[in-house]
Amino acid sequence: MSEILDLLATIGRLLRAENVLILCHKNPDGDTIGTAAALMHALKQLGKEAAVLCSDPIPSRYSYMGIELYNGQFDPGYIVAVDVASIQLFGDAVQEYVDRIDLCIDHHPSNAGYADAMLLDGSAAATCEIMYDVIQAMNVEITPQIADCLYTGLSTDTGCFLFSNTTAKSHLLAAKLMEAGARIQELNMILFESKSKERMAIERLALENLEYHFDERCALIYLTREQIAATGVSPNELEDITSLPRKIEGVQVGITLRQLPGASYKISVRTTAQVDACAIARRLGGGGHARAAGCELEGNLENAKAAILAEVERELKKADEQAAQEQE
């Protein structure tokens, strides 16, 4: 298991580090990319070599971050993983480094503790919240570009501050990033108000596969490998699909099943305050947060649906029992 570090110990190791390789998780989202980019720019301000590596391509909409990708330009002397809860999330291109990760910076309470050392804050809405504190403690200037990177992770992981993980600290940090030069209006347009035609096509297919379960308290959508390929949608655009079923009135648990190239299914769970999403995913080998979690299951669609729905039913019953106790 990882050695648990506080902020002071973390920055001590980063300040001593040289030739830093920063790892993101596969199918990168705004938080893992924003955190990695912000750390890379901060280390470069200190005169250090730093670059980012991800198994999947960085989506073009994040080009404003100015990320330097790792292509062998230095021999990694220190390896940092950001926003990655388990080694299964790295993907193939990163496998040669997973046994030598020096530090993990993360906000997932379910982190598996795979790195030698870890800075973990499960109460943080995004890993970018933690990275802001790290960069400040290293006495590095929060430039407008770093502010853009941090705002990206903060806003995307909170659903533009709509999700239940949003805290007062999240809003205070957003204000600080605005003061540092983050282009809030432009970024919000890129991140939340723009969808490709391919994204719209896959959303239509997902809604055609919509199912209701447990007196319509659970809504489930699924996408097959063939449907995904037919639209030509990029992997990163599929991540936003996970919020669709939970948005339906009266739904407490939203489930999204997406068939992966290897025929397994990636399952995303989104819940209301009454139901623990992490508990649903954890019993199937996954994890995440109380309101947003996920796992991956082998097998065909019907088996995957049966497995996840059994766990949903268990948590809905638990929620009902707790509500009954509170009324007594």
Side-chain angles (χ1 to χ4, degrees):
M1 291 297 291
S2 300
E3 177 186 359
I4 304 300
L5 304 181
D6 61 14
L7 182 61
L8 185 61
T10 300
I11 63 169
R13 298 192 184 198
L14 288 172
L15 291 174
R16 293 192 298 271
E18 298 294 340
N19 295 337
V20 182
L21 178 62
I22 307 165
L23 306 180
C24 299
H25 59 68
K26 62 183 178 180
N27 298 320
D29 61 9
D31 195 24
T32 194
I33 298 169
T35 306
L39 177 59
M40 182 204 76
H41 288 302
L43 292 172
K44 284 182 172 292
Q45 273 197 49
L46 296 171
K48 299 178 182 292
E49 285 278 4
V52 175
L53 179 63
C54 182
S55 286
D56 293 316
I58 304 297
S60 59
R61 66 173 175 169
Y62 298 125
S63 61
Y64 57 85
M65 293 190 193
I67 297 174
E68 180 180 336
L69 295 176
Y70 181 70
N71 57 13
Q73 60 266 49
F74 57 79
D75 183 24
Y78 196 78
I79 301 177
V80 183
V82 292
D83 194 48
V84 188
S86 69
I87 59 174
Q88 290 81 10
L89 297 175
F90 281 113
D92 295 338
V94 179
Q95 287 306 305
E96 64 179 294
Y97 301 107
V98 297
D99 292 331
R100 44 183 294 213
I101 297 172
D102 298 289
L103 173 65
C104 174
I105 300 175
D106 193 17
H107 74 128
H108 294 98
S110 60
N111 190 288
Y114 56 85
D116 289 344
M118 176 166 59
L119 176 64
L120 177 69
D121 182 358
S123 68
T127 304
C128 274
E129 277 193 6
I130 306 170
M131 186 53 64
Y132 176 85
D133 292 336
V134 169
I135 294 174
Q136 285 281 85
M138 289 195 297
N139 291 320
V140 171
E141 178 190 359
I142 303 292
T143 63
Q145 186 167 51
I146 290 177
D148 281 351
C149 297
L150 294 174
Y151 180 79
T152 298
L154 176 65
S155 62
T156 54
D157 254 28
T158 58
C160 205
F161 309 96
L162 290 175
F163 296 165
S164 61
N165 62 330
T166 307
T167 65
K169 181 179 179 180
S170 306
H171 287 288
L172 290 170
L173 176 54
K176 292 176 182 177
L177 296 175
M178 290 177 70
E179 291 175 344
R183 300 166 297 158
I184 303 300
Q185 291 183 333
E186 182 178 342
L187 294 181
N188 284 344
M189 181 62 68
I190 294 171
L191 299 171
F192 303 107
E193 295 298 324
S194 178
K195 294 181 182 179
S196 68
K197 295 175 183 177
E198 293 80 8
R199 170 64 171 75
M200 295 300 294
I202 202 69
E203 185 172 319
R204 176 179 59 81
L205 290 174
L207 291 175
E208 287 178 355
N209 294 336
L210 175 64
E211 301 177 359
Y212 292 102
H213 298 272
F214 312 123
D215 297 323
E216 299 188 350
R217 297 168 68 190
C218 171
L220 179 150
I221 58 175
Y222 63 87
L223 291 166
T224 66
R225 191 171 56 242
E226 291 76 19
Q227 288 175 320
I228 295 169
T231 63
V233 66
S234 62
N236 67 287
E237 288 189 293
L238 288 169
E239 298 303 317
D240 293 339
I241 295 291
T242 60
S243 64
L244 286 178
R246 234 305 293 136
K247 291 181 177 180
I248 301 170
E249 184 179 7
V251 168
Q252 293 178 277
V253 182
I255 302 293
T256 304
L257 291 89
R258 171 157 53 98
Q259 191 175 28
L260 300 175
S264 63
Y265 279 85
K266 180 177 180 179
I267 300 179
S268 299
V269 184
R270 301 292 184 267
T271 64
T272 60
Q274 296 79 21
V275 185
D276 189 341
C278 189
I280 293 171
R282 187 169 53 236
R283 286 192 291 268
L284 295 174
H289 304 283
R291 304 292 165 259
C295 60
E296 187 174 324
L297 294 178
E298 301 289 340
N300 60 38
L301 176 61
E302 293 308 313
N303 288 341
K305 284 165 59 174
I308 191 65
L309 288 173
E311 299 304 329
V312 170
E313 184 176 26
R314 180 187 300 190
E315 286 304 308
L316 284 173
K317 287 181 178 178
K318 186 183 297 184
D320 289 343
E321 292 170 357
Q322 183 174 350
Q325 291 175 0
E326 292 174 353
Q327 292 177 355
E328 292 178 356

